[in-house]
Amino acid sequence: MYKQIQLSYDFNALEPYIDELTMITHYSKHHAAYTNNLNASLEKLPAFAGNSIEDILSNLQVIEDEALRTAVRNNGGGFYNHNLYFGILSPNAKKAPSGELADKINADFGSLDALKDRLSALAAGRFGSGWAWLSVDREGKLHASSSPNQDNPMMEGNGHIPILGIDVWEHAYYLKYKNLRADYIKAFWEVLDWSAVEKLYESAKGGCIGSCSL
Ligand code: MN3
């Protein structure tokens, strides 16, 4: 049974950047539904019992039944992506990375501002629902990308592990920002906790996914 991450802050704690009703709906309805639906799908896949979600999402092709594979892709992605998203937000966010992650960002993107511009453009430019990502590959190099629906870089099977995700489904911002996705993306950076991203970078940089990182 997969469980939603426990929030370390109140639903209203990210105000005014992300509003309370959006947080309640996003976490208690959308994320809960992805999680419940994932668990229901996995009941039909006893061979996957005990596998980490990272292992499952990196090896979706082994699910032969197409409808079940799609259900696990969509709901497993929704489960994993939102655990990441809610886990990197904080009302007491560290505003910039330091140490090794800061050095890598400067090496791979030029500067933190250049990375934020790149991810903001990917998030704003994603047509329809999806995500923008910062990922780490097996060599420790950082990559910026975007994906549709609840897909994420792990599903591409090339060993990229996401450490930062910007949810640009309308449910993530529409109650407050309506059609102004760019304003939500700007607000996202105000509550992104770089200390959480640093921790994810540390565990991901070895290139191990799921059980091999434990
Ligand atoms: Mn969402």
Side-chain angles (χ1 to χ4, degrees):
M1 281 280 278
Y2 289 102
K3 288 194 178 143
Q4 286 178 266
I5 188 175
Q6 291 296 309
L7 300 185
S8 61
Y9 45 83
D10 293 333
F11 286 126
N12 65 2
L14 304 180
E15 297 263 10
Y17 303 107
I18 302 180
D19 62 288
E20 180 177 20
L21 185 57
T22 293
M23 286 299 296
I24 292 172
T25 313
H26 203 176
Y27 180 83
S28 310
K29 306 291 184 190
H30 293 279
H31 192 200
Y34 292 125
T35 305
N36 292 338
N37 291 336
L38 170 66
N39 285 325
S41 292
L42 290 177
E43 279 176 24
K44 298 173 195 157
L45 291 164
F48 277 41
N51 286 26
S52 72
I53 187 64
E54 292 89 346
D55 285 334
I56 293 172
L57 296 181
S58 304
N59 296 285
L60 288 167
Q61 73 283 356
V62 306
I63 304 175
E64 287 174 18
D65 182 280
E66 192 182 340
L68 203 47
R69 186 168 66 244
T70 300
V72 173
R73 182 183 195 114
N74 291 340
N75 294 298
F79 163 73
Y80 177 90
N81 296 346
H82 289 89
N83 267 8
L84 177 68
Y85 176 82
F86 290 125
I88 58 175
L89 300 179
S90 171
N92 307 305
K94 182 178 176 183
K95 296 291 187 197
S98 53
E100 194 178 340
L101 178 59
D103 293 343
K104 282 302 291 180
I105 287 170
N106 289 334
D108 291 343
F109 294 94
S111 67
L112 178 61
D113 281 344
L115 168 65
K116 286 165 74 172
D117 287 349
R118 177 85 186 111
L119 286 173
S120 296
L122 285 163
R126 165 53 53 189
F127 185 77
S129 298
W131 292 74
W133 301 104
L134 179 67
S135 309
V136 186
D137 71 18
R138 289 194 179 93
E139 283 73 46
K141 188 174 164 55
L142 298 169
H143 298 269
S145 65
S146 78
S147 61
N149 307 314
Q150 292 296 351
D151 288 357
N152 73 44
M154 280 191 307
M155 295 177 185
E156 290 162 30
N158 52 14
H160 290 202
I161 302 172
I163 58 172
L164 188 172
I166 309 175
D167 186 349
V168 292
W169 282 57
E170 286 186 344
H171 68 224
Y173 63 87
Y174 208 85
L175 292 175
K176 179 177 174 73
Y177 294 98
K178 305 296 188 289
N179 58 312
L180 303 177
R181 184 190 284 189
D183 287 357
Y184 154 72
I185 294 166
K186 235 166 134 182
F188 169 88
W189 296 114
E190 299 294 327
V191 287
L192 171 67
D193 183 8
W194 282 99
S195 71
V197 182
E198 286 168 4
K199 286 187 191 112
L200 291 167
Y201 171 76
E202 281 305 313
S203 63
K205 68 179 182 182
C208 285
I209 293 180
S211 54
C212 92
S213 67
L214 297 174

